[in-house]
């Protein structure tokens, strides 16, 4: 049995998060009304509070750009550290065999 992965538009997510306030902050009741999983709605709510959910008042595109740049730089750092370790080992090898 395969599960269908449902995708939701940014507008739907933003409206769902707004409905939480209409239900006095009750995520469970809001999720039942919308027919989505409570954990999914909770994740959207957390992202909205962090400014990462597009379409909400807290959304900050500059924050998203900084987060993406941070991820890219972390990947580059990891590659550079791995290259440095390889060069250290190669230097030690050639120093022993020269």
């Amino acid at each position: 049995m395969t599960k269908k992965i449902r995708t939701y538009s940014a507008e739907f997510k933003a409206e769902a998060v707004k409905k939480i306030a209409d239900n006095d902050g009750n995520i469970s009741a809001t999720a039942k009304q919308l027919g989505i999983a409570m954990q999914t709605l909770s994740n959207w709510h957390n992202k909205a509070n962090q400014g990462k959910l597009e379409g909400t008042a807290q959304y900050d595109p500059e924050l998203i750009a900084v987060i993406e740049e941070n991820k890219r730089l972390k990947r580059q750092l990891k590659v550079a550290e791995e290259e440095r370790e390889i060069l250290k080992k190669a230097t030690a090898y050639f120093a022993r065999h020269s």
Side-chain angles (χ1 to χ4, degrees):
M1 183 174 175
T2 60
K3 279 189 170 182
K4 288 186 178 181
I5 298 175
R6 294 177 21 181
T7 56
Y8 302 95
S9 67
E11 295 83 20
F12 179 81
K13 292 176 184 180
E15 287 299 318
V17 169
K18 289 177 188 172
K19 280 189 178 255
I20 293 171
D22 296 341
N23 285 337
D24 300 320
N26 191 337
I27 295 174
S28 178
T30 306
K32 284 180 185 177
Q33 286 176 352
L34 297 173
I36 59 176
M38 187 182 81
Q39 186 62 45
T40 301
L41 185 56
S42 179
N43 291 342
W44 295 346
H45 183 67
N46 291 337
K47 282 185 177 183
N49 289 339
Q50 296 169 359
K52 297 179 184 177
L53 186 64
E54 190 175 345
T56 58
Q58 303 93 333
Y59 179 66
D60 185 6
E62 291 177 11
L63 174 65
I64 302 302
V66 169
I67 291 170
E68 292 301 318
E69 181 181 13
N70 191 15
K71 287 180 185 177
R72 182 182 57 80
L73 292 172
K74 283 183 178 181
R75 282 192 302 268
Q76 285 180 343
L77 176 61
K78 184 177 178 182
V79 169
E81 287 173 342
E82 290 172 353
E83 289 172 349
R84 188 186 84 216
E85 288 300 315
I86 291 170
L87 290 173
K88 283 170 85 177
K89 289 177 183 177
T91 302
Y93 174 81
F94 287 117
R96 273 188 272 128
H97 296 287
S98 293

